[in-house]
Each structure stands twice: as C-alpha cells, then as structure tokens.
Amino acid sequence: MTVLEEMRIRSLGVIDDAVVELSPGFTAVTGETGAGKTMVVTSLGLLLGGRADPALVRVGAKAAVVEGRITVSRGDAVAVRAEEAGAEIEDGALLISRTVSAEGRSRAHLGGRSVPVGVLAELADELVAVHGQTDQQGLLKPARQRQALDRYAGGGVEGPHTKYAAAYRRLRAVVTELDELTARARERAQEADLLRFGLDEVAAVEPLPGEDTELAAEAERLGHAEALASAAALAHAALAGDPEDQEGVDATTVVAAAGRSLDAVRAHDPALAALADRIGEISILLTDVAGELAGYADQLDADPLRLAAVEERRAALTALTRKYGEDITSVLAWAEEGASRLTELEGDDDRIGELTAERDALRRELSVLGQELTDARTEAAARFAAAVTQELASLAMPHARVSFAIRQTEAPDEESGIDIGGRSVLYGPSGADEVELLLAPHPGTQPRPIAKGASGGELSRVMLAVEVVFAGSDPVPTYLFDEVDAGVGGKAAVEVGRRLAKLARTAQVVVVTHLPQVAAFADRQLLVEKTVDGSVTRSGVTVLEGEDRVRELSRMLAGQEDSETARAHAEELLETARVDG
C-alpha cells in the first residue's frame, strides 16, 4: 500500500520548521484559526507539482523547502513512474522534495534525482486526491460534474470518448480547411480566369525561347539593308579591288607585292623570313574577309515584306512581355508556373468535394459515438446517483436524493449539430451531453442543481459522498480534505467523521478540520500551534494522545480546555468513535 508517512516543512508561510507525521489510516489536523493548518495542504500541493508562489516563502528566508517520504510497493504506478524518472527507492521509501526560492525559482527532486516539476504532477494523479473549498465550488460547474460522471463510468465512457475525441479533432481540422477553401472560392475563381486568359494569350502566340532577341536582330538588319550592302561593297573593293577600275589600288594587291619583295631575300635572314610569313598570313586573311564580304552582299536582301512580318511578330511578342515578363524567356517561365497554379486551383474544387464528403462522414461517425456516450453516461448516472444517495443516508441526510439530468441543446440547423436520439443537437469535444447533478434534500422537494439546492453543509456532505463513491470505483492511495466539513455540525458532523473513518479502512485519509466530531474519529490527531512570535516551529506540530487529545477536543468543542462539561463531551466523542469507527 502506498502511504505518505511524513512531511518536513521549512520556511513556508507561518511555518518555520515543522515535521508532520501522518497515520496510514485517518489523520486529523487541528489547531486555532490562523495557526497554519492549511500549510499542510499547501505543502502537499507543492510536493505534487503545484504552482510555486514565492509569496509563500517565510519573510527573511531565502527559500521554502518541503520534503516528503512515501512508502511504495514495487510495481505500483507511483513506483514505476518514479523509477522511469531515474528515482531511487530505498527499502520501499520514496523521497520527494520541492524548493521554492524567494525570487520565484523552483526545483524538484525525486528519489535523490533532480526532475522537472511536471513529473511530480504526474505522480499526483496516482497518489493523492485533494479536496477543499475550491473543489466544492468546482463541483458546482456542469463541466466538472460531467467529468466526475465520466470518471465514475470508467471504461464504459472512456472507450467511446477516446474514439469520439479523435473524430472530433479531425472534424475540426476538416471544417477549418473547408471553410478556408470555400471562403476563398470567389478569389480562386477570379485568379483561375485570369490565368486561363493569360495562358490562352501565350498559347495563341506560341513564342519560342530567345525568339524576341533573334527577331530584334533581324529587324535591325532588314531595316538597314541598303546601307549594309553599300558598306560591304565598298569594303570588298578596298580589299579585293573593283573590276570596273583597273587602275585602282586594293589592299590584297599591295600586301601581295610586299610579300613578294621579302620572299626574294628571306633566305639571308631568319628575322626577315618571319616577317614574310606574317605578311603571308595577312594576305590569306584579307582574301578570306574579302570573300565573306562578297557573299554577305550577295545574301543581303532588302525585303520589305519580310521586314513587315518580323515587325508584326515582334509586336505580338511585345504584347506578351508587357504583361507576363521582361522577355520571352520570362514569359515562358510565367506560363509554366501559371499552368501549375491553375491545376492547383482547379484541384481545389475536387478537394472541396473530398473534404465535404469526409466532413459528412465524420459527423455521422460522431452521431454514432455521441449516442454511445449518452447511453453510457445515462447508465452510469443511475448507478452513480444511487451510490451517492446511499452515502448521503450515512451522512445524516437520510431523505436526500441525488440524480443526474443529462440533456442536449437543439442545434439551430442540421449543419451545426449531430444526430442524437433523432434530433440535431449541439456538440463539443466531449460529446453532446450537458450533465448536471441534482439534489432533492427533503421529501417532496423537486430536484434542483446542487448550486441552488444545497446549503454549505449539504454541499460538503455531497462532496464527501461523491469521493467515497469514487473510492470504491477508482481509488487513490491518499485523500486530503481541507475543511470539507465546513458548514456541518451536530449529528451530521459525527456522521462525516464516521464516514471518513470508514474510508480510511481502505485508503489513507488526511483531514484539516475544525470539528471535534470529525477529529475524534481520527487514528491520529495532529495539533498545529504557533509560538508567541507567530511562527510554527518543530515543536509546533505534535501528535496528540491521551489527556492532550481530550484537552484539544474540549477546546474545539467549547473553546475551554479545562471545562468539565467540554471534557466529558470530548471523552464521549472519543468513546463513540472508538466503538463506531
């Protein structure tokens, strides 16, 4: 059995240095108002990964430290998770510590190893159920009541709920994507039309890569054909001579003559021979250029029709470059990208169809799973309500009746709901059910939501009854109640103490209480006392036994430790608890 044996608290709130030794059964923590009893709850909260508030650090201290020792059994959930985190368990004892500095820094250790605070929070789910005034207020919320019912139902709800939650998350993703695509439908249609128009324009022209550059060069040549032909003829005549001018001097003839003059004497000097060779190369080059000039002039055709055709083609290409790119290469790149984008846009219509079909299928699936959830909750609610009602009878509320109202809200239209019981109803991540816990405290009264139908004392007992029922179906090793008996007195307080003692037979129960009727049933009673300087020291948390316990119960009963009447009543309470507990 997993048991929280001891806590040492240093520099936390009013506590300077104190050790809290807990019973494996029922421990009651008592003391004057403001003595620091709730620091026990706060300390346990820190050990279990609760929020670290630097304001809790005692004034003048650098840090608050809470250390705990837990007895665990090999193989239980707490031990397994602790060992997974690297903790060491020695002789069945698991040590936990939490340090909170005055600057707000927090550190956690588990079994001698530094661990993230989140690891302690994970252990909390398996280790302790904490209940206080805030938890009672939480129970008033329908969402918490649904969670309580689901927790009690166990696998009956957990199975369909897991499937439902997965389908719900997928539906949200599908609806989000579908809404985005649908909302942009007009924009997408306009974009697609513009792309089709542009691609049709490009396709009609059928441009070729680099065609605009080639045509520009051809247009330049055709536009100056006569000047080019005249220049080529003059250059040819200068190099090769004019057949009509027999006396003219040309470059080819002059260079040839120079070559012949050197050839006659080249054998006498290698340097001169080299120059003769270079003149020969020049002569050959002049002859080649002259021949190409003659061919250029012959091929050059001043064709006005061809020039017109080129300019017309260039105009068509220019119309494309004005809209789609700096040049034809850019235009062709735009067309390729545009065709890909158009395919994507046209594919969106198919995607909308696919998403619509998936959305409808998921809603049908949620209808089936939602109905399973409703049926499982309805069945569990009857058992849960009967069990809590039975517990309330043991808590001096013999005529009280607890029930659950499980209902759904009609959806304004079919698109926003799922089908449950033949009706289109609103739904959420946990199903379509609105769960509310109802209480009829007396015969003849109509069941009302516990937020409206229960007094403070009745709410405390309902809370305790709910936890006792949970203990039978989903137990945890330790239960901590922080004044859950608020608003209860007299016979009802005795019954609360008796019920807590019964719960302590199968689990560890720690109760911070101001009621002697509850404290009397405890296996161990701890008294929290402040010293004259307002702090709780190591000696300020004591285990009460014998006469000391009678004196504390007397104080709790009448405010007078030495009152004979109060002492007699205290002894009677202890005897009642010993016999009935």
Side-chain angles (χ1 to χ4, degrees):
M1 178 178 177
T2 301
V3 174
L4 177 62
E5 290 186 341
E6 180 183 278
M7 286 194 303
R8 183 178 182 183
I9 310 166
R10 286 178 289 175
S11 301
L12 184 70
V14 298
I15 298 180
D16 180 23
D17 189 347
V19 176
V20 180
E21 298 178 356
L22 302 173
S23 165
F26 181 4
T27 300
V29 181
T30 64
E32 294 280 4
T33 300
K37 301 188 299 297
T38 57
M39 285 297 103
V40 175
V41 180
T42 302
S43 299
L44 186 56
L46 286 173
L47 278 183
L48 298 175
R51 187 176 69 87
D53 185 356
L56 295 173
V57 179
R58 185 170 173 76
V59 176
K62 294 182 178 180
V65 180
V66 182
E67 299 169 314
R69 185 174 71 247
I70 301 173
T71 299
V72 297
S73 301
R74 292 286 181 182
D76 68 16
V78 173
V80 170
R81 182 65 189 94
E83 289 176 337
E84 288 176 351
E88 294 183 3
I89 300 175
E90 297 182 2
D91 299 326
L94 176 63
L95 302 181
I96 302 177
S97 71
R98 182 82 179 276
T99 303
V100 181
S101 72
E103 292 79 24
R105 292 188 300 274
S106 172
R107 291 181 296 157
H109 288 81
L110 180 66
R113 297 289 298 274
S114 178
V115 297
V117 174
V119 174
L120 302 187
E122 292 176 18
L123 293 181
D125 294 335
E126 303 290 343
L127 190 61
V128 177
V130 181
H131 294 284
Q133 296 299 308
T134 56
D135 298 276
Q136 292 189 26
Q137 296 303 314
L139 190 62
L140 302 180
K141 300 176 181 179
R144 287 287 298 275
Q145 294 171 15
R146 189 199 64 241
Q147 292 171 4
L149 177 59
D150 288 354
R151 175 185 165 195
Y152 176 81
V157 166
E158 184 179 0
H161 188 275
T162 299
K163 297 177 182 178
Y164 178 96
Y168 181 84
R169 288 192 298 270
R170 177 56 190 162
L171 177 59
R172 291 298 92 201
V174 167
V175 169
T176 298
E177 185 178 355
L178 188 57
D179 287 345
E180 290 176 355
L181 290 175
T182 303
R184 291 179 48 241
R186 179 176 297 177
E187 296 175 11
R188 291 184 302 105
Q190 292 173 346
E191 184 182 356
D193 285 344
L194 289 174
L195 284 173
R196 290 191 192 95
F197 179 81
L199 291 172
D200 288 344
E201 276 196 314
V202 174
V205 176
E206 296 182 341
L208 299 175
E211 184 182 4
D212 52 340
T213 302
E214 295 175 1
L215 288 177
E218 184 178 359
E220 186 71 14
R221 186 170 63 253
L222 290 173
H224 300 83
E226 292 182 1
L228 292 172
S230 176
L234 290 174
H236 179 269
L239 294 179
D242 186 352
E244 298 179 359
D245 185 4
Q246 298 298 325
E247 296 180 359
V249 180
D250 59 82
T252 303
T253 301
V254 172
V255 171
R260 287 193 299 270
S261 66
L262 294 181
D263 286 340
V265 294
R266 64 183 297 160
H268 305 300
D269 186 355
L272 191 63
L275 292 173
D277 290 338
R278 291 172 65 185
I279 290 176
E281 293 173 0
I282 293 173
S283 180
I284 294 171
L285 181 58
L286 288 174
T287 302
D288 289 342
V289 173
E292 290 182 14
L293 286 171
Y296 175 82
D298 292 339
Q299 294 176 1
L300 192 60
D301 184 12
D303 185 354
L305 293 179
R306 173 57 185 167
L307 178 59
V310 169
E311 293 296 350
E312 183 179 354
R313 179 65 176 173
R314 290 186 67 201
L317 296 178
T318 300
L320 297 181
T321 56
R322 278 200 303 265
K323 296 180 181 180
Y324 309 115
E326 295 181 356
D327 51 33
I328 290 301
T329 300
S330 300
V331 170
L332 291 173
W334 175 88
E336 183 177 356
E337 294 174 1
S340 176
R341 174 59 177 162
L342 182 59
T343 300
E344 180 182 334
L345 291 171
E346 291 173 340
D348 282 351
D349 293 335
D350 296 334
R351 181 62 177 158
I352 287 176
E354 293 172 0
L355 290 172
T356 301
E358 185 178 4
R359 179 201 63 189
D360 294 343
L362 285 168
R363 287 180 56 208
R364 289 193 295 270
E365 181 181 358
L366 287 179
S367 294
V368 174
L369 293 171
Q371 186 66 62
E372 290 182 19
L373 279 174
T374 298
D375 294 342
R377 284 170 175 151
T378 301
E379 186 276 332
R383 292 187 289 110
F384 192 12
V388 173
T389 297
Q390 184 176 350
E391 285 298 327
L392 288 176
S394 302
L395 294 171
M397 294 178 68
H399 303 296
R401 294 292 179 270
V402 169
S403 60
F404 277 97
I406 300 177
R407 49 183 173 264
Q408 301 83 31
T409 299
E410 294 279 351
D413 52 67
E414 292 187 2
E415 291 298 320
S416 59
I418 59 174
D419 184 87
I420 300 292
R423 298 181 302 138
S424 179
V425 299
L426 296 178
Y427 62 101
S430 295
D433 302 319
E434 299 170 13
V435 176
E436 193 164 34
L437 187 61
L438 307 179
L439 174 68
H442 309 292
T445 58
Q446 292 296 319
R448 301 180 64 195
I450 57 173
K452 301 177 181 178
S455 65
E458 289 169 341
L459 181 58
S460 296
R461 281 177 280 175
V462 171
M463 184 68 185
L464 177 58
V466 167
E467 197 54 66
V468 169
V469 171
F470 279 150
S473 61
D474 184 23
V476 294
T478 301
Y479 293 89
L480 176 60
F481 295 94
D482 182 14
E483 298 193 11
V484 74
D485 49 15
V488 178
K491 181 180 178 182
V494 173
E495 295 302 329
V496 168
R498 182 178 287 116
R499 203 65 192 88
L500 288 169
K502 184 177 180 181
L503 179 60
R505 295 173 188 170
T506 56
Q508 183 181 35
V509 177
V510 180
V511 179
V512 177
T513 182
H514 64 283
L515 291 180
Q517 297 94 326
V518 172
F521 280 86
D523 300 308
R524 176 176 296 172
Q525 183 172 349
L526 301 178
L527 174 63
V528 180
E529 292 180 296
K530 289 194 293 188
T531 60
V532 290
D533 66 357
S535 66
V536 177
T537 63
R538 180 178 288 272
S539 61
V541 180
T542 56
V543 178
L544 299 179
E545 296 179 348
E547 182 64 23
D548 291 336
R549 190 171 185 187
V550 172
R551 285 175 58 82
E552 171 62 7
L553 291 176
S554 299
R555 180 198 66 77
M556 296 172 71
L557 281 165
Q560 301 175 351
E561 297 90 332
D562 299 323
S563 167
E564 290 300 325
T565 302
R567 287 176 57 82
H569 192 183
E571 291 173 348
E572 182 181 359
L573 276 178
L574 287 171
E575 179 61 22
T576 300
R578 186 186 66 80
V579 174
D580 297 345

